Amino acid sequence: MVWTGTWVAERLGVELIGDEALPALLGLALRRNPKRAHLLVSSVLGKHVPQRPSVVYGSGLDLGRRVRALLGDEEAARAVVLGYAETATALGHAVADGLGLAPYLHSTRRPVAGVARAGGFEESHSHATSHLLLPEDPKLLAGDGPLVLVDDEFSTGNTVLNTVRALHERYPRDRYVVVALVDMRSAADLGRLDAFAAEIGARVDLISGAAGTVRLPEGVLEKGQALVAEHERAYEPGAGSAPGPTTARGGHEHVRVALDWPEGLPDGGRHGFTPDQRGRLETALPAMAVRITEALGGAAAGTERGSTTGAQRVPAVEAQPGPSAGAQPVPAAGAQPGSTAGAQPVPSAGAEPGPSAGARPVPAVEAQPGSTAGAEPGPSAGAQPVPAVEAQPGSTAGARPVPSAAGPRVLVLGFEELMYAPLRLGTALEEAGHDVRYSTTTRSPVLAVDDPGYAIRTRLVFPAHDDPADGPGERYAYNVAGAGFDAVVLVVDSTADTPALHAPDGLLAQLAAHIPRVVLAVVPSYTPTTTASPYVPYDAAPGATGVTEATEAAGATGASGATEATEAIEAIEATEATEATEATTEAVEAPERSSMLPEPLRGPAFSSYAPEEVGWLLQDLSDVELEAPTEEREEAIQSGGAHYAESLPVEYQPSDRYQELFHAALETSAARIARAVGTVTETVLAERERPGHRPVLVSLARAGTPVGVLMRRWAQARHGLDLPHYAVSIVRGRGIDANALRWLAAHHDPADVVFVDGWTGKGAITRELADAIKEFEAAEGVTGFDPEIAVLADPGSCVRTYGTREDFLIPSACLNSTVSGLISRTVLRADLVGPNDFHGGKFYRELAGVDVSGAFLDAVAARFDEVGAAVDADVKELLAADRTPTWEGWAAVERISEEYGIHDVNLVKPGVGETTRVLLRRVPWKILAKRGADADLAHVRLLAEQRGVPVEEVDELPYSCVGLIHPQYTRGATGADGKAVVSQ
């Protein structure tokens, strides 16, 4: 048999060095990634490569038994096992089963309403959202017993050590055990575990199934990217490349089986899983296997399908043939993708298998303790290596019958994080004598190449079907099409049993196009609350009983109430998943993950906007006193050289008269704003949307955020597009929040990001953003962000993408937080914002009674239909026009600065929006008003009157108005760096 890393090794010169078992455990594949083109593909994890369930489960069990032998029964009973989503949820659970005495928890990317977070962290370079920790019992992580951290691969060690360091600061322990299928550290990293253990005063052990490293030659990233691009083009529809002998089978039915999942039993470790619950599952598995066997019906008997006991036949939508149906590409019939039984290791073209000259010796498969002085090493005698691929390990529940060679091949297919329940159903079917393989769907996009020496032979592509928090996107099932399966049992939780699953391009249709028999098994999603609506299957017939899980899910909730909020665990780093392996090399060192960052804040917990409208990449400083009267604040800035972003002005409370002006302005300008919103959104879609990608709106908090929400609403109303939208902080003199950019780069293609603001004045923020992006890319090595800002109004001619270049009143500029979701201006202060934190912001919940954020959005959105034709005409004209910025606004500001003796452009605030900010936040000197622009300046004149600021009428002003600040008259005027400008 050919090693499934040969294809990549021959083309890129990648070497896999280490234990003889490594080539049987790992293959190689390619993906599009700005940091790393190759990835390691595990053949025993049950993610990308279908494998016998007993082999997958046995791998974790063996590691868990070794942990128990290392700890002893007394310490094992005090331990907690923590696994990482998405790839290690079943592996961690199997380790906990092997340990036998400890509860299990895995991280999750799925927020669950009513369940408080006990922590969270960020996973860079992943095609996924942030990780959350959502234990039903928040005390689960607060004990002092050993913490066992499980992932599929351990590379340089930075990520795991940083994870332990952060957890140790919050919940100190005496002992940690890191468990991985493979230890891929370089020789230089081997001693770090001992040093780290001494640093924190705890014992840290490492147990792995095999060890080795990956050596990458010079230029491997560029070569890999070119190779991916070449083969992706070859598989594009219409490229003239035949993807393989695929025959789609339209019109198949899928069969829904009622599992009779035990009432109140969690579907996995998302909220915790105890040893007692493990016992309940073991008891129930044989009966569930019987029901699945009955549902397999004709496939199990080798006959035509028919109705089965306990199963409901549901017509599947017809799948489209060929690659458009999702198969990319399909190998020859009978091929077994990823099979490495008996394979000889082939590290690279022309390389000898096993350790090369000069390579570090690879230790036996045993515990590798990184303990402090005096700590005893982990056991080695009797340690069992990870079972070989296609091995037939002894069953843990009695002898497993050997499947008949003539029996049907059955695939049990899990769903992203839901790996453990499908795995255990697979082991139960294996115990019953079926010829079973197991794998799961995934978020991670990987190139498929139909070659025996490549780990990913085929891929099915389908839309996400569990309403993910980060919005819709593609999902994948690898090595399923063309693998010779006679039947597939798709196991999802009830949250994922949605119309998208059953859609014409959904996963069920993709499976039916390639596999004769499709069985759908739905596990009730466990939510630890006392009240939950019963789950009703998407395609259940009215009044149907006995054939679906509709009656099961009513009991699928936990006994405890919703947990109280606990303090978030900050700055934890996640371990690297196998499909995103960070290899080390003598010539090229792949980067480790950045520090972990929390999920974006969303309403109603933070802001009055609906949660889907915007995610705030900020930290909540609502409980911190940051406000001061304007004069005192500016005096402090000037006297101490403080930065304006280190404090907040007292929120302006508008008078009744001012509120009336706001509503009147909104009534008269709503259509004008709607037209500008439509124009800028359509321009963005025309210029930034590309096949397989959609724009990601990133508004500059907070003036840009209402505009971002409106652009999102326009795209949804006009095109049915659900664009992601986030709000980030940018501070003059400090740049954009680099951690927010790291979060965005980890979750989205930077090329899809569109920065959004309300308006341009003289273009200072435009220049600030461009400089900040350039600095970030140089420091981080992440490229693709476009510093161009899309704005509603560009009176200063500073950007290419805008709704209008007129300077008119945007009512959201009239108010502060009460028109911006009740969020403050952003804050950046060293004692509050650490190097791994987002910038801060406050949520003024107490102002809910005067909040008009929703009213503003609704008033503008209500005019979308009536401005549609005008928008189409505007966009057509704009796309054909030369929109190169002229920066005429900047020139006007320079002229005004000199004419009025200010001699500092930063103290000249042009435009209605900026002038309003001066009057609301600063101590202005005077207002210049363009003669004849009264319609847009009523609120400006009112504010000036209330504050005793003179308004001077001028001619030939390129803006409707300009606000002036002069250090001679104010104590805290700020300069280009955001600090005070001292009066001369």
Side-chain angles (χ1 to χ4, degrees), residues 156 347 413 420 468 538 546 549 616 717 914:
T156 66
L413 184 64
Y420 181 72
Y538 163 70
E549 288 83 0
W616 301 84
E914 292 303 306

Side-chain angles (χ1 to χ4, degrees), residues 782-793:
V782 176
T783 60
F785 284 111
D786 186 346
E788 176 77 18
I789 304 178
V791 299
L792 207 57

